[in-house]
Amino acid sequence: MNLRHLTFRLLEVYVTVVRTGSVTAAAQQLHLTQPTVSQQLKRLAEAVAEPLFVSRGGRLELTDSGRELYRTALDVTGRFEDFQDYLAELKGGQKGRFSIALVNTAQYVLPKLLGPYSQAFPEVEMTVEIGNRQQLLERFERQLDDIYVFSHPPSLEQAHVARFLRNPLVVIAPEQHPLAHKQEVELDDILQERLLLREPGSATRMLFESWLQGQGAQWFNGMQMASNGAIRVGVAAGMGLAVVSRHVLPEVHPGIVILPVKGFPIESHWHFIVRRDRRLPYAARSFLEYAAGELDQCLPAEYLCNEVSTLLNQTTEAMA
Amino acid sequence: MNLRHLTFRLLEVYVTVVRTGSVTAAAQQLHLTQPTVSQQLKRLAEAVAEPLFVSRGGRLELTDSGRELYRTALDVTGRFEDFQDYLAELKGGQKGRFSIALVNTAQYVLPKLLGPYSQAFPEVEMTVEIGNRQQLLERFERQLDDIYVFSHPPSLEQAHVARFLRNPLVVIAPEQHPLAHKQEVELDDILQERLLLREPGSATRMLFESWLQGQGAQWFNGMQMASNGAIRVGVAAGMGLAVVSRHVLPEVHPGIVILPVKGFPIESHWHFIVRRDRRLPYAARSFLEYAAGELDQCLPAEYLCNEVSTLLNQTTEAMA
DNA sequence: CTCAAACATAGATAATTATCTATACGCAAG
DNA sequence: CTTGCGTATAGATAATTATCTATGTTTGAG
C-alpha cells in the first residue's frame, strides 16, 4: 500500500490503538473486530514501510517511527477537526456571508430587520444591494444575489417567494395643501394636481400606473424625481402631491399629511425571493430563519404579513 | 462519501487544482485525465457536503469552504511531508539508534571504530553493552541487541556473521622475567609458570584451553582475574604470565613483553554478528556500512580482515 | 507445563476507489 | 451562430478497502 491511500480513518484507528495500548481494546472502542484492527495496522505499517510496534513482553511498544507517526496523526487529525468545526459553524449559519438586493423603497424598512440580525450573528458578512426594480431584475437574471426583495415578484417559475410585509401606497400632500384636511378625497381631485413620481421602471410607479389603468384613469401633470427621499422633501416643500410607499415616511412626518383618497391605500406586499436554481448559502438561510421568527419584534405589527416559514419549507425540499 | 475515507492523494489533487486554477492543468501536472480530476473534486465536495468552487465567468473560484479546505489541505500535507522526511532520514541511517554488544576483550578496540562513526552520524544514538562471552550469549538468546561482537560466533543457524579483525592471542610476561629476552620459548616453559587467567566462560580462556587441549597439554598453576586490565597490571607487577588478546596491550607497553612462544600467536578473529530473525535497524546497518568502508582508516593495517560487506549482502537479501 | 488472553493470519465479500474512454454541456470569442 | 476550450457526466473496470468469521500462534501467569 502507498502512503497516498492513507485515510483519516486509518489514522484514527492508529491513534486509538496507541492510546489504549491494545489492539483488542481499540477494536472495542471503535466497534470493530480485533482482526480488522490488526489488519489496518498491518496496512499502515506497510504504507510507512516501517514497523510501528514491537511486542515487548506482552505489551505493544512503539518504535521510533511509530511514535513519530503518532505525533503526526494527532496533528493531522486535529487540524482536520478544526476544519470540521469550521464547516459546522458555516452550516449552522453562524458564520459565512450572503447578499441581499432591495428595491429602493424597501431600504427604509429592511434595516430594522438587518440591524438586529447582524447584531445576533456578528460573524455573518452581508452585502446589501439597492436599486430600482429594473436594476434588481437584471441582478436577479444574472444571479448576483442570494435574496431579493421585490414588491412584485418576477416570474415564479424560477423562484421561491414569500410575502413578509404589507406595503401600502398612500397619497401624500403638504400640510398647507387645500386637500390636506378633508375627510375624504376623490381620485379625480388628485389627478388634477401635479404628481411627483419616480422614474418608469420603479415598482411604486408601475404599481400605481397599473392600478390607475384598472380605474380607467390617468394623470396629467407629472414630474419625475430620482429618489423617494427627494419626493418626500419635494412634497413637504409644496412642489406637488405624490404616491409613495407608506414606509417611505417616518413615524412622525411633520409638514406632510396622508390624504384619505378613495381606493387608497393601494395594497401590495414586499416579498423575499430566492432563485430555485441557486444554492442558498447557510448564512442566507439563517437570515430567513431569523426573519421568520423575529419579524414581529422588529417591525410594526400593523404591517406584518409573515409568510417566510413557507419559503423555508420550500427551499428545504429543494435541498433534500 | 465520508470524510473518513479522505486520502492524502485526494488532498494533493485538490491542492493542485487550486494552485493551477484549472482542472485540466491540474490533470496534466498529475498525469491524470481531466475527467478523473473532475470526479475526484466531486467526491471531495460530497465528502465535505459543501460546494468548493463556483464557476464564475469561466474561472473556477473558491467558495469560503473551499478556501478553508485549501488551507487545511496545505497544513495537513505539509505535516505529513515532515513525517516522510523523518522516515527518509531514518531509513538513510542518518538518525535512529541501535545497540551493539561487545565481548570484554573487544572493548579495547571497538571504540576506534565507534568513535569516528558517531562523529560522522551524531544523530544516531548507540548503546554499547559489554560482557563476557557467557553474558553475551544470553543477550543474544534474548535478542536484546542489534549487533554482537564475538570471537567465536554462536550457532550459525540463526545468525549472519562476518569477520572484521584479527585477534591474535599472545603470551605476555613482565620485562624482568627470565623468559623475557629469549629468542624462542617452549610451550612447556610457560605452563610451569603461574598463569593469570580470565574466568571460565570468557572467550579468551575458552580459546586458549581448547587450543591447549589440541596440543595435549595443560597448565598447573592458574590464577583467576576478573578483567583484562587487571591481568595486564598483574603481569607488569610480576604476578605471573598471561595469555591475552594482542589488543589488550597498548601500542607501547612498558614493563611487559610478548614472549615468542612456539605456536603463538593463536589466531582468532572478531566477528560482527546479527540475528537472522531480527530486523536490523537502519542505523545499525549504516554502522556496518561505515565499518565496511572505513575500517582500514580506523584500525592498524596488520589486524585487518574486513569481510563486513559480505554480511551486508546477506542481510540485504534477507530484507528483500 | 498448560491455559487463556491477546495478537496474527487466512479466506471471503460487498463497497468503494481510481482510473480510463467517450460524450455531452456551457460559455466566451470570433 | 458556430467553434473551441474547459468542465461535467456516463459507463466500464481493475484494484483496493473495510470488514467479517474462523482459525492459528505467542506468551505470560498460574
Side-chain angles (χ1 to χ4, degrees):
Chain A
M1 178 165 118
N2 191 312
L3 271 183
R4 296 180 158 182
H5 300 314
L6 269 196
T7 61
F8 286 83
R9 169 61 160 175
L10 202 44
L11 292 183
E12 203 181 318
V13 169
Y14 180 66
V15 166
T16 310
V17 171
V18 175
R19 287 229 166 97
T20 61
S22 142
V23 173
T24 305
Q28 280 167 353
Q29 240 182 69
L30 296 163
H31 304 292
L32 293 173
T33 61
Q34 170 266 314
T36 300
V37 175
S38 272
Q39 203 227 33
Q40 304 278 55
L41 284 185
K42 196 177 166 192
R43 283 202 314 121
L44 190 55
E46 268 168 31
V48 172
E50 267 299 293
L52 302 172
F53 297 101
V54 280
S55 61
R56 198 121 185 107
R59 286 256 142 263
L60 289 184
E61 205 166 281
L62 286 177
T63 63
D64 287 348
S65 310
R67 211 179 333 278
E68 189 67 19
L69 178 60
Y70 180 59
R71 287 193 203 105
T72 305
L74 283 184
D75 287 354
V76 161
T77 55
R79 179 66 184 85
F80 222 77
E81 270 161 31
D82 286 351
F83 174 63
Q84 290 187 288
D85 289 348
Y86 172 89
L87 282 187
E89 274 199 333
L90 195 72
K91 291 185 185 177
Q94 300 287 96
K95 203 169 212 165
R97 71 182 66 175
F98 70 99
S99 72
I100 182 168
L102 310 181
V103 287
N104 262 300
T105 338
Q107 81 183 278
Y108 296 95
V109 182
L110 251 87
K112 292 180 187 167
L113 192 56
L114 293 171
Y117 172 78
S118 74
Q119 295 260 311
F121 296 89
E123 292 291 306
V124 175
E125 274 178 64
M126 69 181 125
T127 316
V128 181
E129 300 287 339
I130 295 179
N132 66 26
R133 180 180 170 78
Q134 195 51 48
Q135 292 164 329
L136 251 66
L137 281 176
E138 266 169 42
R139 294 189 68 89
F140 180 88
E141 211 47 54
R142 295 170 54 201
Q143 312 192 20
L144 296 184
D145 306 285
D146 299 308
I147 305 178
Y148 301 85
V149 173
F150 282 105
S151 48
H152 195 64
S155 72
L156 295 183
E157 306 288 312
Q158 2 180 16
H160 293 292
V161 175
R163 299 196 285 191
F164 69 97
L165 203 68
R166 289 178 47 230
N167 178 32
L169 298 188
V170 295
V171 182
I172 58 175
E175 217 165 16
Q176 308 81 5
H177 196 275
L179 296 174
H181 299 290
K182 300 184 78 165
Q183 289 298 316
E184 197 175 76
V185 179
E186 294 297 322
L187 176 60
D188 283 342
D189 292 343
I190 66 165
L191 292 179
Q192 304 306 322
E193 301 286 326
R194 176 152 70 178
L195 292 178
L196 308 188
L197 291 160
R198 293 280 305 284
E199 69 285 0
S202 95
T204 307
R205 177 153 172 181
M206 278 181 60
L207 205 58
F208 177 53
E209 284 183 343
S210 69
W211 180 82
L212 265 194
Q213 208 160 28
Q215 308 290 313
Q218 68 164 83
W219 74 85
F220 306 99
N221 185 1
M223 181 171 185
Q224 182 170 321
M225 307 200 76
S227 83
N228 289 308
I231 289 176
R232 208 176 66 205
V233 173
V235 168
M239 293 175 69
L241 307 188
V243 174
V244 296
S245 162
R246 173 63 187 80
H247 297 290
V248 167
L249 296 181
E251 290 294 316
V252 291
H253 37 86
I256 291 181
V257 295
I258 296 172
L259 298 185
V261 180
K262 266 189 186 159
F264 276 76
I266 302 174
E267 276 302 334
S268 75
H269 291 86
W270 275 318
H271 303 77
F272 285 127
I273 292 159
V274 302
R275 296 189 59 104
R276 286 176 198 274
D277 54 0
R278 189 159 198 268
R279 205 194 117 71
L280 195 60
Y282 295 108
R285 189 178 173 79
S286 103
F287 169 69
L288 291 176
E289 275 162 7
Y290 185 86
E294 309 289 321
L295 196 60
D296 34 346
Q297 254 81 114
C298 302
L299 293 167
E302 45 178 322
Y303 300 120
L304 285 183
C305 175
N306 191 342
E307 294 176 352
V308 180
S309 52
T310 69
L311 186 150
L312 286 173
N313 291 339
Q314 288 173 325
T315 55
T316 307
E317 286 165 28
M319 288 170 73
Chain B
M1 178 167 120
N2 191 313
L3 272 183
R4 295 180 159 182
H5 300 314
L6 268 196
T7 61
F8 286 83
R9 169 61 159 175
L10 202 43
L11 292 184
E12 203 181 318
V13 169
Y14 180 66
V15 166
T16 310
V17 171
V18 175
R19 286 226 167 99
T20 61
S22 142
V23 173
T24 305
Q28 281 166 353
Q29 242 182 67
L30 297 163
H31 305 293
L32 293 172
T33 61
Q34 169 266 314
T36 300
V37 175
S38 273
Q39 202 227 32
Q40 304 279 55
L41 285 185
K42 195 177 165 192
R43 282 201 316 121
L44 189 55
E46 268 167 30
V48 173
E50 269 297 294
L52 302 171
F53 297 101
V54 280
S55 61
R56 198 121 185 105
R59 286 253 144 266
L60 289 184
E61 206 165 281
L62 286 176
T63 62
D64 287 348
S65 310
R67 211 179 333 277
E68 190 67 19
L69 178 60
Y70 180 60
R71 286 193 205 104
T72 304
L74 284 184
D75 287 354
V76 161
T77 55
R79 179 64 184 86
F80 221 77
E81 270 160 32
D82 287 351
F83 174 64
Q84 290 187 288
D85 289 347
Y86 173 88
L87 282 187
E89 274 198 333
L90 196 72
K91 292 186 186 176
Q94 298 289 95
K95 203 170 211 165
R97 71 181 66 172
F98 70 99
S99 71
I100 182 168
L102 309 182
V103 287
N104 263 299
T105 337
Q107 80 185 279
Y108 296 95
V109 182
L110 252 87
K112 293 181 186 166
L113 192 55
L114 293 170
Y117 172 78
S118 74
Q119 295 261 310
F121 297 89
E123 293 289 305
V124 174
E125 272 177 65
M126 68 183 125
T127 315
V128 182
E129 300 288 340
I130 295 180
N132 67 24
R133 179 181 171 79
Q134 195 51 49
Q135 292 164 329
L136 252 65
L137 281 175
E138 266 169 43
R139 294 190 68 89
F140 181 87
E141 212 46 58
R142 296 170 55 202
Q143 311 191 20
L144 296 183
D145 306 285
D146 300 308
I147 305 177
Y148 301 84
V149 174
F150 282 104
S151 49
H152 195 65
S155 73
L156 295 183
E157 306 288 312
Q158 3 180 16
H160 293 293
V161 174
R163 298 196 286 191
F164 70 97
L165 203 67
R166 289 178 47 229
N167 178 31
L169 299 188
V170 295
V171 183
I172 57 175
E175 216 166 18
Q176 307 82 6
H177 197 275
L179 297 174
H181 301 289
K182 299 185 79 166
Q183 288 298 317
E184 197 174 74
V185 179
E186 293 297 323
L187 177 59
D188 284 342
D189 291 343
I190 65 166
L191 292 179
Q192 306 303 323
E193 301 286 324
R194 176 151 72 177
L195 293 178
L196 309 189
L197 291 160
R198 293 279 306 283
E199 69 284 1
S202 95
T204 307
R205 176 152 173 181
M206 279 181 59
L207 206 58
F208 177 54
E209 284 184 342
S210 70
W211 179 83
L212 264 193
Q213 208 159 30
Q215 308 289 313
Q218 67 166 87
W219 75 85
F220 305 98
N221 184 3
M223 180 172 188
Q224 182 170 322
M225 306 201 75
S227 82
N228 290 307
I231 289 177
R232 205 176 66 204
V233 173
V235 170
M239 293 175 68
L241 307 188
V243 174
V244 296
S245 162
R246 173 64 187 80
H247 297 290
V248 167
L249 297 179
E251 290 295 316
V252 291
H253 38 86
I256 291 181
V257 293
I258 297 173
L259 298 185
V261 179
K262 267 191 186 159
F264 277 76
I266 301 174
E267 276 302 333
S268 73
H269 291 86
W270 276 317
H271 304 76
F272 285 127
I273 292 159
V274 303
R275 295 188 61 102
R276 286 177 199 274
D277 54 0
R278 188 159 199 269
R279 204 194 117 71
L280 195 59
Y282 295 108
R285 189 178 172 78
S286 102
F287 169 70
L288 291 176
E289 276 162 7
Y290 185 85
E294 309 289 321
L295 197 60
D296 33 347
Q297 255 80 112
C298 302
L299 292 167
E302 46 178 322
Y303 300 119
L304 284 183
C305 175
N306 191 342
E307 294 175 354
V308 180
S309 52
T310 69
L311 187 150
L312 286 173
N313 292 339
Q314 290 173 324
T315 56
T316 307
E317 285 163 29
M319 290 170 72

